[in-house]
Short mmCIF file of all heavy atoms in Angstrom, two decimals:
data_model
loop_
_atom_site.label_atom_id
_atom_site.label_comp_id
_atom_site.label_asym_id
_atom_site.label_seq_id
_atom_site.Cartn_x
_atom_site.Cartn_y
_atom_site.Cartn_z
N THR A 15 97.76 -58.83 -51.40
CA THR A 15 98.72 -58.98 -50.33
C THR A 15 99.99 -59.83 -50.86
O THR A 15 100.00 -60.09 -52.06
CB THR A 15 98.15 -59.82 -49.15
OG1 THR A 15 97.87 -61.13 -49.55
CG2 THR A 15 96.92 -59.16 -48.60
N GLU A 16 100.90 -60.07 -49.98
CA GLU A 16 102.05 -60.85 -50.41
C GLU A 16 102.36 -61.84 -49.24
O GLU A 16 102.43 -61.40 -48.08
CB GLU A 16 103.26 -60.00 -50.72
CG GLU A 16 104.47 -60.76 -51.28
CD GLU A 16 105.52 -59.87 -51.81
OE1 GLU A 16 105.27 -59.03 -52.68
OE2 GLU A 16 106.68 -59.97 -51.30
N SER A 17 102.61 -63.07 -49.59
CA SER A 17 102.95 -64.07 -48.65
C SER A 17 104.05 -64.94 -49.12
O SER A 17 104.01 -65.44 -50.28
CB SER A 17 101.72 -64.91 -48.34
OG SER A 17 102.02 -65.96 -47.42
N ALA A 18 105.11 -65.08 -48.38
CA ALA A 18 106.28 -65.93 -48.73
C ALA A 18 106.82 -65.45 -50.10
O ALA A 18 107.26 -66.29 -50.87
CB ALA A 18 105.93 -67.39 -48.72
N GLY A 19 106.76 -64.16 -50.35
CA GLY A 19 107.26 -63.61 -51.59
C GLY A 19 106.36 -63.78 -52.78
O GLY A 19 106.77 -63.43 -53.88
N VAL A 20 105.16 -64.29 -52.54
CA VAL A 20 104.19 -64.49 -53.67
C VAL A 20 102.98 -63.55 -53.49
O VAL A 20 102.27 -63.60 -52.48
CB VAL A 20 103.70 -65.98 -53.65
CG1 VAL A 20 102.64 -66.13 -54.71
CG2 VAL A 20 104.87 -66.89 -53.83
N PRO A 21 102.71 -62.72 -54.47
CA PRO A 21 101.51 -61.82 -54.44
C PRO A 21 100.26 -62.71 -54.54
O PRO A 21 100.18 -63.62 -55.37
CB PRO A 21 101.66 -61.00 -55.67
CG PRO A 21 103.14 -61.02 -56.01
CD PRO A 21 103.53 -62.45 -55.69
N LEU A 22 99.28 -62.39 -53.73
CA LEU A 22 97.99 -63.06 -53.73
C LEU A 22 96.84 -62.08 -53.51
O LEU A 22 96.98 -61.08 -52.87
CB LEU A 22 97.93 -64.08 -52.54
CG LEU A 22 98.80 -65.34 -52.65
CD1 LEU A 22 98.78 -66.03 -51.25
CD2 LEU A 22 98.34 -66.25 -53.74
N LEU A 23 95.71 -62.45 -54.07
CA LEU A 23 94.46 -61.77 -53.75
C LEU A 23 93.70 -62.59 -52.71
O LEU A 23 93.61 -63.83 -52.81
CB LEU A 23 93.60 -61.56 -54.99
CG LEU A 23 94.05 -60.47 -55.92
CD1 LEU A 23 93.49 -60.72 -57.36
CD2 LEU A 23 93.61 -59.08 -55.48
N VAL A 24 93.29 -61.94 -51.63
CA VAL A 24 92.55 -62.67 -50.57
C VAL A 24 91.22 -62.02 -50.28
O VAL A 24 91.04 -60.79 -50.52
CB VAL A 24 93.39 -62.77 -49.26
CG1 VAL A 24 94.66 -63.56 -49.48
CG2 VAL A 24 93.68 -61.35 -48.75
N SER A 25 90.27 -62.80 -49.82
CA SER A 25 88.89 -62.31 -49.56
C SER A 25 88.69 -62.02 -48.11
O SER A 25 88.72 -62.97 -47.25
CB SER A 25 87.88 -63.39 -50.07
OG SER A 25 86.62 -63.16 -49.44
N PRO A 26 88.38 -60.81 -47.65
CA PRO A 26 88.06 -60.53 -46.27
C PRO A 26 86.84 -61.26 -45.82
O PRO A 26 86.80 -61.75 -44.70
CB PRO A 26 87.81 -59.00 -46.28
CG PRO A 26 88.56 -58.52 -47.50
CD PRO A 26 88.45 -59.54 -48.48
N LEU A 27 85.85 -61.44 -46.66
CA LEU A 27 84.62 -62.20 -46.23
C LEU A 27 84.95 -63.64 -45.83
O LEU A 27 84.44 -64.11 -44.82
CB LEU A 27 83.56 -62.16 -47.34
CG LEU A 27 82.25 -62.89 -47.07
CD1 LEU A 27 81.48 -62.24 -45.88
CD2 LEU A 27 81.33 -62.96 -48.28
N LEU A 28 85.71 -64.28 -46.63
CA LEU A 28 86.13 -65.67 -46.32
C LEU A 28 87.03 -65.72 -45.11
O LEU A 28 86.95 -66.63 -44.28
CB LEU A 28 86.80 -66.33 -47.56
CG LEU A 28 85.94 -66.44 -48.80
CD1 LEU A 28 86.72 -67.20 -49.85
CD2 LEU A 28 84.63 -67.20 -48.52
N GLU A 29 87.91 -64.73 -44.98
CA GLU A 29 88.86 -64.65 -43.85
C GLU A 29 88.06 -64.53 -42.56
O GLU A 29 88.47 -65.13 -41.53
CB GLU A 29 89.81 -63.49 -44.03
CG GLU A 29 91.10 -63.67 -43.30
CD GLU A 29 91.96 -64.79 -43.83
OE1 GLU A 29 91.78 -65.25 -44.96
OE2 GLU A 29 92.89 -65.22 -43.05
N GLU A 30 86.95 -63.80 -42.60
CA GLU A 30 86.18 -63.59 -41.37
C GLU A 30 85.60 -64.94 -40.84
O GLU A 30 85.26 -64.96 -39.64
CB GLU A 30 84.99 -62.60 -41.67
CG GLU A 30 85.52 -61.18 -41.83
CD GLU A 30 84.40 -60.26 -42.40
OE1 GLU A 30 83.23 -60.69 -42.46
OE2 GLU A 30 84.73 -59.06 -42.63
N THR A 31 85.43 -65.94 -41.65
CA THR A 31 84.86 -67.13 -41.12
C THR A 31 85.89 -67.78 -40.16
O THR A 31 85.42 -68.62 -39.25
CB THR A 31 84.65 -68.22 -42.29
OG1 THR A 31 85.89 -68.62 -42.84
CG2 THR A 31 83.75 -67.56 -43.33
N GLY A 32 87.12 -67.59 -40.27
CA GLY A 32 88.15 -68.05 -39.37
C GLY A 32 88.48 -69.54 -39.58
O GLY A 32 89.26 -70.09 -38.77
N ILE A 33 87.90 -70.20 -40.58
CA ILE A 33 88.08 -71.64 -40.64
C ILE A 33 88.81 -72.04 -41.97
O ILE A 33 88.97 -73.23 -42.18
CB ILE A 33 86.77 -72.42 -40.58
CG1 ILE A 33 85.81 -72.09 -41.75
CG2 ILE A 33 86.09 -72.10 -39.23
CD1 ILE A 33 84.62 -73.13 -41.80
N VAL A 34 89.19 -71.10 -42.83
CA VAL A 34 89.73 -71.49 -44.13
C VAL A 34 91.04 -70.75 -44.39
O VAL A 34 91.37 -69.69 -43.85
CB VAL A 34 88.79 -71.15 -45.30
CG1 VAL A 34 87.49 -72.00 -45.16
CG2 VAL A 34 88.45 -69.65 -45.36
N LYS A 35 91.83 -71.36 -45.30
CA LYS A 35 92.94 -70.74 -45.98
C LYS A 35 92.54 -70.55 -47.36
O LYS A 35 92.01 -71.47 -48.01
CB LYS A 35 94.22 -71.60 -45.80
CG LYS A 35 94.64 -71.79 -44.39
CD LYS A 35 95.87 -72.61 -44.29
CE LYS A 35 96.33 -72.74 -42.82
NZ LYS A 35 97.60 -73.53 -42.70
N GLN A 36 92.79 -69.40 -47.94
CA GLN A 36 92.22 -69.06 -49.24
C GLN A 36 93.11 -68.07 -49.98
O GLN A 36 93.83 -67.31 -49.42
CB GLN A 36 90.83 -68.65 -49.20
CG GLN A 36 90.56 -67.55 -48.07
CD GLN A 36 90.73 -66.15 -48.51
OE1 GLN A 36 90.74 -65.80 -49.70
NE2 GLN A 36 90.82 -65.21 -47.52
N GLY A 37 92.90 -68.00 -51.32
CA GLY A 37 93.59 -67.04 -52.08
C GLY A 37 93.35 -67.20 -53.59
O GLY A 37 92.77 -68.16 -53.99
N PHE A 38 93.88 -66.22 -54.32
CA PHE A 38 93.75 -66.23 -55.79
C PHE A 38 95.05 -65.72 -56.31
O PHE A 38 95.51 -64.63 -55.90
CB PHE A 38 92.62 -65.36 -56.25
CG PHE A 38 92.29 -65.49 -57.72
CD1 PHE A 38 91.53 -66.54 -58.17
CD2 PHE A 38 92.73 -64.56 -58.65
CE1 PHE A 38 91.24 -66.68 -59.55
CE2 PHE A 38 92.47 -64.67 -60.01
CZ PHE A 38 91.65 -65.74 -60.43
N SER A 39 95.73 -66.44 -57.15
CA SER A 39 97.09 -66.10 -57.62
C SER A 39 97.09 -64.97 -58.66
O SER A 39 96.06 -64.65 -59.24
CB SER A 39 97.75 -67.36 -58.21
OG SER A 39 97.17 -67.72 -59.47
N THR A 40 98.26 -64.44 -58.84
CA THR A 40 98.51 -63.43 -59.86
C THR A 40 99.49 -64.07 -60.90
O THR A 40 99.84 -65.22 -60.84
CB THR A 40 99.09 -62.12 -59.29
OG1 THR A 40 100.46 -62.37 -58.94
CG2 THR A 40 98.26 -61.64 -58.07
#
Side-chain angles (χ1 to χ4, degrees):
T15 64
E16 187 172 302
S17 177
V20 176
L22 290 170
L23 285 156
V24 297
S25 161
L27 179 65
L28 299 183
E29 204 67 18
E30 286 170 6
T31 68
I33 68 167
V34 296
K35 296 180 178 181
Q36 46 88 19
F38 190 82
S39 69
T40 72

